Amino acid sequence: MSTPVRKLHGAPARDATAPTRRAIERRVARAVGARDVRSRAVEVDDANDLFGGDVARAANLIVIGGRGCGKSSVCRRLAASDKRFKLFSLDDLIVYEAGMAIPDIVARHGWRYFRDLEYEVCVKAGRAFDGWTLIDAGGGVVTDLDENDEEMYSERKVAALKQNNGLIVFLDRDVEYLVQRIEGDVNRPDLSASKGFREIMARRLPWYRRAADLVVDGGGFPGDPDEDFQAKKVIKKKRLASRIAAWYYNQTGQSPLEDHWFQLDLPTVTTENK
């Protein structure tokens, strides 16, 4: 029996700027295929029916990467292309658990509390089904905080995501692309009071690669290159979804649905970690 999604901690009243509880519940309910998230319980036989009788060979798929890399868009395309995927946004689940928007969680409780809550949500999402769970992970999912409040690699969250044969894909984008995408976004709280975004991303890059079973090069900066930057062509998200799906099917032995909309291939821009 899968684990119901339920509230982990007591929390202050929801801020008016946060998504409504009903809206979050609808999103989560769509992801897990149930009307009532708080009381959902899927029996093994029901799961077999849901996944075409082949859950034993299926695996979870997790997409990681820096803020603004396009994880959510790629995950939505994957979920639309194959209805066996059940999409979870870790950010949505965190908002649901805390009862407030992410900037308010960080402002009121700090990043350490947020990372602990993120870990608990990773555990729940990883256990939701016996495969075919598609997880849109936050940019800091590979991090925890050390005793000095500095970021470090998160063994526990990566292990939680790899439950149920979880396969992690790192969507790699040039940092200048990320900077342009997130600039001025008030829904993304500052990651550090002392370090800039580029410095943080440089530190996180080897952690993304360490966690990943597959690295997908999403290309570079979409604007005009300057003398210090060699622009790379940005790869369209539909194409990235195709590459990730092809690799997933190859790794799990699953077959794509007959009406899939993308051309399946494994071009050289993907790098499988050994």
Side-chain angles (χ1 to χ4, degrees):
M1 183 179 295
S2 59
T3 304
V5 177
R6 60 181 182 273
K7 200 172 181 68
L8 294 170
H9 301 289
R14 185 185 63 84
D15 189 279
T17 62
T20 66
R21 177 62 55 85
R22 186 178 297 275
I24 294 296
E25 286 185 1
R26 283 199 299 265
R27 293 184 200 175
V28 179
R30 284 196 298 269
V32 300
R35 290 186 178 181
D36 187 352
V37 176
R38 292 162 294 186
S39 62
R40 178 185 58 80
V42 180
E43 300 292 342
V44 172
D45 289 343
D46 295 332
N48 284 333
D49 292 339
L50 182 61
F51 297 127
D54 198 18
V55 294
R57 295 178 58 205
N60 294 342
L61 179 61
I62 303 96
V63 182
I64 66 173
R67 285 182 172 184
C69 70
K71 299 183 297 292
S72 297
S73 295
V74 168
C75 284
R76 285 194 295 269
R77 285 166 171 78
L78 285 166
S81 71
D82 194 323
K83 298 303 183 183
R84 291 171 291 185
F85 280 124
K86 299 300 173 184
L87 175 59
F88 283 95
S89 163
L90 291 188
D91 282 352
D92 279 356
L93 292 177
I94 290 169
V95 169
Y96 173 77
E97 294 285 357
M100 67 184 78
I102 289 176
D104 295 326
I105 300 172
V106 175
R108 297 184 190 185
H109 301 290
W111 277 112
R112 187 178 299 277
Y113 175 93
F114 179 88
R115 296 301 177 206
D116 287 342
L117 181 55
E118 186 174 48
Y119 165 68
E120 296 185 43
V121 167
C122 285
V123 171
K124 283 191 174 184
R127 293 176 179 172
F129 289 101
D130 293 327
W132 289 107
T133 302
L134 175 60
I135 298 176
D136 169 15
V141 76
V142 296
T143 71
D144 268 315
L145 297 179
D146 64 18
E147 62 275 10
N148 298 315
D149 287 335
E150 295 290 339
E151 286 191 345
M152 56 181 282
Y153 181 71
S154 179
E155 299 276 3
R156 61 173 182 163
K157 282 190 281 183
V158 172
L161 292 173
K162 291 197 173 188
Q163 298 175 98
N164 288 329
N165 301 313
L167 299 170
I168 297 181
V169 176
F170 168 37
L171 179 51
D172 189 13
R173 300 274 201 186
D174 190 277
V175 68
E176 297 304 324
Y177 176 92
L178 304 182
V179 169
Q180 186 187 70
R181 288 288 308 279
I182 68 171
E183 190 173 16
D185 189 343
V186 297
N187 293 315
R188 302 179 192 265
D190 289 339
L191 297 171
S192 171
S194 59
K195 295 180 176 64
F197 180 76
R198 291 175 179 82
E199 182 181 355
I200 291 171
M201 287 300 103
R203 183 172 173 82
R204 287 181 179 180
L205 179 59
W207 299 336
Y208 289 131
R209 291 184 173 275
R210 177 178 171 183
D213 300 294
L214 178 74
V215 177
V216 178
D217 184 0
F221 186 59
D224 294 328
D226 58 31
E227 60 183 3
D228 297 321
F229 181 74
Q230 182 66 41
K232 293 188 298 181
K233 182 179 179 181
V234 175
I235 299 172
K236 292 183 178 180
K237 293 168 186 174
K238 182 176 179 180
R239 184 70 168 170
L240 294 172
S242 168
R243 290 166 177 170
I244 293 170
W247 177 80
Y248 175 85
Y249 295 136
N250 182 64
Q251 292 295 304
T252 61
Q254 298 290 328
S255 298
L257 299 177
E258 292 183 1
D259 59 348
H260 66 266
W261 47 257
F262 46 71
Q263 176 185 359
L264 297 176
D265 60 359
L266 286 172
T268 57
V269 296
T270 58
T271 304
E272 186 171 352
N273 285 358
K274 303 298 183 183

Short mmCIF file of all heavy atoms in Angstrom, two decimals, residues 103-132:
data_model
loop_
_atom_site.label_atom_id
_atom_site.label_comp_id
_atom_site.label_asym_id
_atom_site.label_seq_id
_atom_site.Cartn_x
_atom_site.Cartn_y
_atom_site.Cartn_z
N PRO A 103 8.76 31.45 -0.36
CA PRO A 103 9.48 32.59 0.23
C PRO A 103 9.11 32.82 1.70
O PRO A 103 9.97 33.21 2.51
CB PRO A 103 9.06 33.77 -0.64
CG PRO A 103 8.71 33.16 -1.96
CD PRO A 103 8.08 31.85 -1.62
N ASP A 104 7.85 32.56 2.07
CA ASP A 104 7.43 32.74 3.46
C ASP A 104 7.98 31.65 4.37
O ASP A 104 8.31 31.91 5.53
CB ASP A 104 5.90 32.77 3.54
CG ASP A 104 5.31 33.97 2.82
OD1 ASP A 104 5.96 35.04 2.84
OD2 ASP A 104 4.23 33.85 2.23
N ILE A 105 8.08 30.43 3.85
CA ILE A 105 8.69 29.35 4.63
C ILE A 105 10.12 29.73 5.00
O ILE A 105 10.54 29.63 6.16
CB ILE A 105 8.70 28.02 3.85
CG1 ILE A 105 7.28 27.58 3.49
CG2 ILE A 105 9.40 26.93 4.66
CD1 ILE A 105 7.24 26.39 2.55
N VAL A 106 10.88 30.18 4.02
CA VAL A 106 12.28 30.54 4.24
C VAL A 106 12.39 31.74 5.16
O VAL A 106 13.22 31.78 6.08
CB VAL A 106 12.99 30.79 2.89
CG1 VAL A 106 14.41 31.27 3.12
CG2 VAL A 106 12.99 29.51 2.04
N ALA A 107 11.53 32.75 4.94
CA ALA A 107 11.59 33.96 5.76
C ALA A 107 11.27 33.68 7.23
O ALA A 107 11.89 34.24 8.13
CB ALA A 107 10.64 35.02 5.20
N ARG A 108 10.33 32.80 7.47
CA ARG A 108 9.87 32.55 8.84
C ARG A 108 10.68 31.47 9.55
O ARG A 108 10.86 31.52 10.77
CB ARG A 108 8.40 32.15 8.83
CG ARG A 108 7.48 33.24 8.31
CD ARG A 108 6.02 32.82 8.40
NE ARG A 108 5.16 33.76 7.70
CZ ARG A 108 3.83 33.70 7.69
NH1 ARG A 108 3.22 32.75 8.38
NH2 ARG A 108 3.12 34.58 7.01
N HIS A 109 11.15 30.48 8.80
CA HIS A 109 11.77 29.31 9.44
C HIS A 109 13.22 29.09 9.03
O HIS A 109 13.93 28.33 9.71
CB HIS A 109 10.96 28.05 9.12
CG HIS A 109 9.54 28.11 9.57
ND1 HIS A 109 9.18 28.07 10.90
CD2 HIS A 109 8.39 28.20 8.85
CE1 HIS A 109 7.86 28.13 10.99
NE2 HIS A 109 7.36 28.22 9.76
N GLY A 110 13.67 29.69 7.93
CA GLY A 110 15.05 29.53 7.48
C GLY A 110 15.23 28.36 6.52
O GLY A 110 14.36 27.51 6.37
N TRP A 111 16.41 28.36 5.90
CA TRP A 111 16.70 27.35 4.88
C TRP A 111 16.86 25.95 5.48
O TRP A 111 16.54 24.95 4.83
CB TRP A 111 17.95 27.72 4.09
CG TRP A 111 17.69 28.67 2.97
CD1 TRP A 111 18.10 29.97 2.86
CD2 TRP A 111 16.93 28.41 1.78
NE1 TRP A 111 17.66 30.54 1.69
CE2 TRP A 111 16.93 29.59 1.00
CE3 TRP A 111 16.24 27.29 1.29
CZ2 TRP A 111 16.29 29.68 -0.22
CZ3 TRP A 111 15.59 27.38 0.06
CH2 TRP A 111 15.62 28.57 -0.68
N ARG A 112 17.35 25.82 6.69
CA ARG A 112 17.53 24.49 7.28
C ARG A 112 16.18 23.79 7.45
O ARG A 112 16.04 22.60 7.14
CB ARG A 112 18.27 24.58 8.62
CG ARG A 112 18.65 23.21 9.20
CD ARG A 112 19.43 23.36 10.49
NE ARG A 112 20.69 24.07 10.28
CZ ARG A 112 21.80 23.48 9.84
NH1 ARG A 112 21.81 22.19 9.56
NH2 ARG A 112 22.90 24.20 9.69
N TYR A 113 15.21 24.52 7.97
CA TYR A 113 13.85 23.97 8.09
C TYR A 113 13.32 23.56 6.73
O TYR A 113 12.72 22.48 6.57
CB TYR A 113 12.95 25.01 8.74
CG TYR A 113 11.49 24.62 8.82
CD1 TYR A 113 10.98 24.01 9.96
CD2 TYR A 113 10.62 24.89 7.76
CE1 TYR A 113 9.63 23.66 10.04
CE2 TYR A 113 9.27 24.54 7.82
CZ TYR A 113 8.79 23.92 8.96
OH TYR A 113 7.45 23.57 9.03
N PHE A 114 13.53 24.42 5.73
CA PHE A 114 13.04 24.13 4.38
C PHE A 114 13.68 22.85 3.85
O PHE A 114 12.99 21.99 3.27
CB PHE A 114 13.35 25.30 3.44
CG PHE A 114 12.90 25.06 2.02
CD1 PHE A 114 11.61 25.40 1.62
CD2 PHE A 114 13.75 24.48 1.08
CE1 PHE A 114 11.19 25.16 0.33
CE2 PHE A 114 13.33 24.24 -0.21
CZ PHE A 114 12.04 24.59 -0.60
N ARG A 115 15.00 22.69 4.02
CA ARG A 115 15.68 21.49 3.51
C ARG A 115 15.20 20.23 4.22
O ARG A 115 15.09 19.16 3.60
CB ARG A 115 17.19 21.63 3.62
CG ARG A 115 17.80 22.76 2.79
CD ARG A 115 17.53 22.59 1.32
NE ARG A 115 18.05 23.71 0.53
CZ ARG A 115 17.56 24.08 -0.65
NH1 ARG A 115 16.54 23.43 -1.17
NH2 ARG A 115 18.08 25.09 -1.29
N ASP A 116 14.92 20.33 5.52
CA ASP A 116 14.39 19.18 6.25
C ASP A 116 13.00 18.79 5.72
O ASP A 116 12.69 17.60 5.54
CB ASP A 116 14.30 19.48 7.74
CG ASP A 116 15.67 19.51 8.42
OD1 ASP A 116 16.64 18.97 7.84
OD2 ASP A 116 15.77 20.07 9.53
N LEU A 117 12.17 19.80 5.48
CA LEU A 117 10.85 19.54 4.94
C LEU A 117 10.96 18.96 3.52
O LEU A 117 10.21 18.05 3.15
CB LEU A 117 10.03 20.83 4.93
CG LEU A 117 8.59 20.76 4.42
CD1 LEU A 117 7.80 19.71 5.19
CD2 LEU A 117 7.92 22.12 4.53
N GLU A 118 11.89 19.47 2.75
CA GLU A 118 12.11 18.97 1.40
C GLU A 118 12.49 17.49 1.43
O GLU A 118 12.04 16.70 0.59
CB GLU A 118 13.21 19.79 0.72
CG GLU A 118 13.43 19.47 -0.74
CD GLU A 118 14.43 20.41 -1.38
OE1 GLU A 118 15.51 20.64 -0.78
OE2 GLU A 118 14.15 20.94 -2.47
N TYR A 119 13.32 17.11 2.39
CA TYR A 119 13.71 15.70 2.53
C TYR A 119 12.48 14.83 2.79
O TYR A 119 12.30 13.78 2.16
CB TYR A 119 14.72 15.53 3.66
CG TYR A 119 14.88 14.09 4.09
CD1 TYR A 119 15.47 13.15 3.25
CD2 TYR A 119 14.43 13.68 5.34
CE1 TYR A 119 15.59 11.82 3.64
CE2 TYR A 119 14.55 12.36 5.75
CZ TYR A 119 15.13 11.43 4.89
OH TYR A 119 15.24 10.13 5.27
N GLU A 120 11.63 15.24 3.72
CA GLU A 120 10.45 14.44 4.04
C GLU A 120 9.52 14.31 2.84
O GLU A 120 8.91 13.24 2.62
CB GLU A 120 9.72 15.05 5.23
CG GLU A 120 10.55 15.03 6.52
CD GLU A 120 9.78 15.53 7.72
OE1 GLU A 120 8.59 15.17 7.87
OE2 GLU A 120 10.36 16.29 8.51
N VAL A 121 9.42 15.36 2.05
CA VAL A 121 8.60 15.31 0.85
C VAL A 121 9.24 14.38 -0.19
O VAL A 121 8.53 13.65 -0.90
CB VAL A 121 8.40 16.74 0.29
CG1 VAL A 121 7.84 16.70 -1.11
CG2 VAL A 121 7.47 17.53 1.20
N CYS A 122 10.56 14.39 -0.30
CA CYS A 122 11.25 13.46 -1.21
C CYS A 122 10.93 12.01 -0.86
O CYS A 122 10.70 11.18 -1.74
CB CYS A 122 12.76 13.68 -1.15
SG CYS A 122 13.38 15.15 -1.98
N VAL A 123 10.93 11.71 0.44
CA VAL A 123 10.63 10.35 0.89
C VAL A 123 9.22 9.97 0.48
O VAL A 123 8.98 8.88 -0.07
CB VAL A 123 10.81 10.23 2.41
CG1 VAL A 123 10.29 8.88 2.91
CG2 VAL A 123 12.28 10.42 2.80
N LYS A 124 8.26 10.84 0.73
CA LYS A 124 6.86 10.55 0.40
C LYS A 124 6.66 10.39 -1.10
O LYS A 124 5.98 9.46 -1.56
CB LYS A 124 5.95 11.65 0.93
CG LYS A 124 5.70 11.57 2.42
CD LYS A 124 4.58 12.52 2.81
CE LYS A 124 4.22 12.33 4.28
NZ LYS A 124 3.07 13.18 4.67
N ALA A 125 7.22 11.31 -1.88
CA ALA A 125 7.04 11.24 -3.34
C ALA A 125 7.67 9.96 -3.89
O ALA A 125 7.11 9.32 -4.78
CB ALA A 125 7.64 12.47 -4.00
N GLY A 126 8.84 9.60 -3.38
CA GLY A 126 9.52 8.40 -3.85
C GLY A 126 8.76 7.13 -3.56
O GLY A 126 8.90 6.14 -4.28
N ARG A 127 7.93 7.14 -2.51
CA ARG A 127 7.16 5.96 -2.12
C ARG A 127 5.73 5.96 -2.63
O ARG A 127 4.97 5.02 -2.39
CB ARG A 127 7.11 5.86 -0.59
CG ARG A 127 8.46 5.58 0.06
CD ARG A 127 8.31 5.62 1.57
NE ARG A 127 9.58 5.32 2.25
CZ ARG A 127 9.76 5.44 3.55
NH1 ARG A 127 8.77 5.85 4.33
NH2 ARG A 127 10.93 5.16 4.08
N ALA A 128 5.32 7.00 -3.34
CA ALA A 128 3.91 7.16 -3.70
C ALA A 128 3.40 6.01 -4.54
O ALA A 128 2.27 5.55 -4.37
CB ALA A 128 3.71 8.48 -4.43
N PHE A 129 4.21 5.52 -5.48
CA PHE A 129 3.83 4.42 -6.35
C PHE A 129 5.03 3.50 -6.54
O PHE A 129 6.17 3.90 -6.31
CB PHE A 129 3.35 4.93 -7.72
CG PHE A 129 2.02 5.61 -7.70
CD1 PHE A 129 1.95 7.00 -7.72
CD2 PHE A 129 0.85 4.88 -7.67
CE1 PHE A 129 0.73 7.65 -7.71
CE2 PHE A 129 -0.38 5.53 -7.65
CZ PHE A 129 -0.44 6.91 -7.67
N ASP A 130 4.75 2.30 -7.01
CA ASP A 130 5.83 1.37 -7.35
C ASP A 130 6.26 1.60 -8.79
O ASP A 130 6.12 0.74 -9.66
CB ASP A 130 5.37 -0.08 -7.15
CG ASP A 130 5.12 -0.40 -5.70
OD1 ASP A 130 5.83 0.15 -4.85
OD2 ASP A 130 4.21 -1.20 -5.43
N GLY A 131 6.78 2.77 -9.05
CA GLY A 131 7.23 3.12 -10.40
C GLY A 131 6.30 4.10 -11.08
O GLY A 131 5.18 4.35 -10.63
N TRP A 132 6.79 4.71 -12.15
CA TRP A 132 6.07 5.67 -12.98
C TRP A 132 5.77 6.98 -12.25
O TRP A 132 4.98 7.78 -12.72
CB TRP A 132 4.76 5.09 -13.53
CG TRP A 132 4.98 4.05 -14.59
CD1 TRP A 132 4.80 2.71 -14.47
CD2 TRP A 132 5.43 4.27 -15.93
NE1 TRP A 132 5.11 2.07 -15.64
CE2 TRP A 132 5.50 3.01 -16.56
CE3 TRP A 132 5.80 5.41 -16.67
CZ2 TRP A 132 5.91 2.84 -17.88
CZ3 TRP A 132 6.21 5.24 -17.99
CH2 TRP A 132 6.26 3.97 -18.58
#
